[in-house]
């Protein structure tokens, strides 16, 4: 099976590239796509750059141009749930766009007509992840991830997102990538390790923990790849 692995920042895919070691690189539509085989699968790996627009472009290219049949996102997130500490892993059950606002026309926050408020991650990939977590002796949290084109560094905004979407973590790409995959009918999975808690100290924590948390997520994703059916 051809599997896409994407992150938003170089730091999120570097641990994957250094594990797979040998790969080819192709420049296409503003990104570099790395191709290799790993665990008996063909992989296409890329980082998109930050945010919903760039991540939607990269995901679309991975599916349409590189013909990936499943997509795994690996990266970091700001924690909302009090259970989530820096370094903890959270997989998305479903994702929403917290910055979509056409409430002026009576729509709920996050809703776009003819779309869905939440996009659900693939159930089989989530159950595979649960098995991997048990075998690795890792606590894997499952919850709603809210995506928006904002680095959230305020308790007020974080609490609004928690209250409005029942979200457990937030980041800047998951829902847009999920939306692309849903529209192309390709199963997807979003995994994030917590780098900060999206409040006043978020930017300092993000700088301190981006690399180590990205490594935690990448290691887990590669373990999933090894166990994916062919
Ligand atoms: N990714 C990691 N931390 C984040 C935060 N606080 N806001 C948005 N995206 C993030």
């Amino acid at each position: 099976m051809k599997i896409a692995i994407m992150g938003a920042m170089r730091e999120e895919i570097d641990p994957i590239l250094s594990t797979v070691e040998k790969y080819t690189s192709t420049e296409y539509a503003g990104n570099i796509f790395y191709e290799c085989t790993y665990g008996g699968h063909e992989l296409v790996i890329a980082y998109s750059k930050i945010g919903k627009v760039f991540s939607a472009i990269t995901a679309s290219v991975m599916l349409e141009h590189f013909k990936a049949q499943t997509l795994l996102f690996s990266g970091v997130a700001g924690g909302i749930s009090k259970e989530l500490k820096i370094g903890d892993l959270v997989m998305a059950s479903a994702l929403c766009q917290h910055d979509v606002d056409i409430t002026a026309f009576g729509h709920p926050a996050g809703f776009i007509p003819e779309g869905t408020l939440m996009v659900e991650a693939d159930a089989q990939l989530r159950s595979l992840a649960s098995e991997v977590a048990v075998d690795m002796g890792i606590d894997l949290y499952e919850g709603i991830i809210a995506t928006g084109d904002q680095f959230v560094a305020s308790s007020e905004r974080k609490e609004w997102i928690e209250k409005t979407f029942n979200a457990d973590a937030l980041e800047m790409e998951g829902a847009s990538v999920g939306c692309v995959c849903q529209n192309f009918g390709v199963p997807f999975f979003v995994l994030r390790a917590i780098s900060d808690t999206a409040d006043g100290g978020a930017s300092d924590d993000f700088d301190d923990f981006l690399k180590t948390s990205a490594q935690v997520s990448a290691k887990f994703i590669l373990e999933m790849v090894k166990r994916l059916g062919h």
Side-chain angles (χ1 to χ4, degrees), residues 76-78 148 150-153 170-172 192 195-198 202 206:
V76 300
Q150 301 166 352
F151 183 84
V152 177
L170 56 86
E171 34 83 313
M172 304 178 70
R192 298 277 187 171
S195 56
D196 58 84
T197 48
F206 182 87

Side-chain angles (χ1 to χ4, degrees), residues 23-206:
Y23 47 79
T24 60
S25 322
T26 309
E27 272 191 61
Y28 188 84
N31 286 135
I32 305 170
F33 295 86
Y34 304 95
E35 291 176 274
C36 66
T37 54
Y38 185 79
H41 294 288
E42 285 176 75
L43 302 186
V44 55
I45 303 161
Y47 75 93
S48 56
K49 299 182 287 293
I50 293 166
K52 294 194 296 181
V53 173
F54 285 128
S55 60
I57 294 170
T58 306
S60 301
V61 168
M62 286 172 132
L63 305 190
E64 278 291 276
H65 185 78
F66 290 93
K67 305 293 177 201
Q69 295 154 294
T70 197
L71 186 148
L72 311 176
F73 192 103
S74 179
V76 300
I80 298 178
S81 163
K82 294 205 171 33
E83 282 185 49
L84 287 170
K85 307 279 180 266
I86 288 171
D88 286 351
L89 278 174
V90 54
M91 66 172 161
S93 52
L95 304 102
C96 61
Q97 298 182 57
H98 70 73
D99 57 349
V100 162
D101 184 352
I102 42 175
T103 55
F105 293 90
H107 297 296
F111 181 75
I112 295 175
E114 298 184 45
T116 54
L117 182 61
M118 296 277 167
V119 52
E120 257 186 57
D122 183 69
Q124 273 183 326
L125 290 169
R126 278 151 57 200
S127 77
L128 172 68
S130 302
E131 286 170 29
V132 170
V134 170
D135 294 347
M136 289 175 84
I138 287 175
D139 282 332
L140 176 61
Y141 193 97
E142 181 168 14
I144 291 172
I145 295 185
T147 301
D149 282 325
Q150 301 166 352
F151 183 84
V152 177
S154 117
S155 301
E156 206 183 349
R157 179 72 189 162
K158 166 174 139 169
E159 279 156 23
W160 182 84
I161 292 169
E162 178 177 31
K163 184 177 77 198
T164 309
F165 302 104
N166 199 20
D168 298 287
L170 56 86
E171 34 83 313
M172 304 178 70
E173 299 83 18
S176 42
V177 169
C179 203
V180 168
C181 293
Q182 185 181 56
N183 281 278
F184 283 105
V186 169
F188 77 96
F189 177 80
V190 177
L191 182 72
R192 298 277 187 171
I194 300 302
S195 56
D196 58 84
T197 48
D199 45 25
S203 50
D204 286 346
D205 284 345
F206 182 87

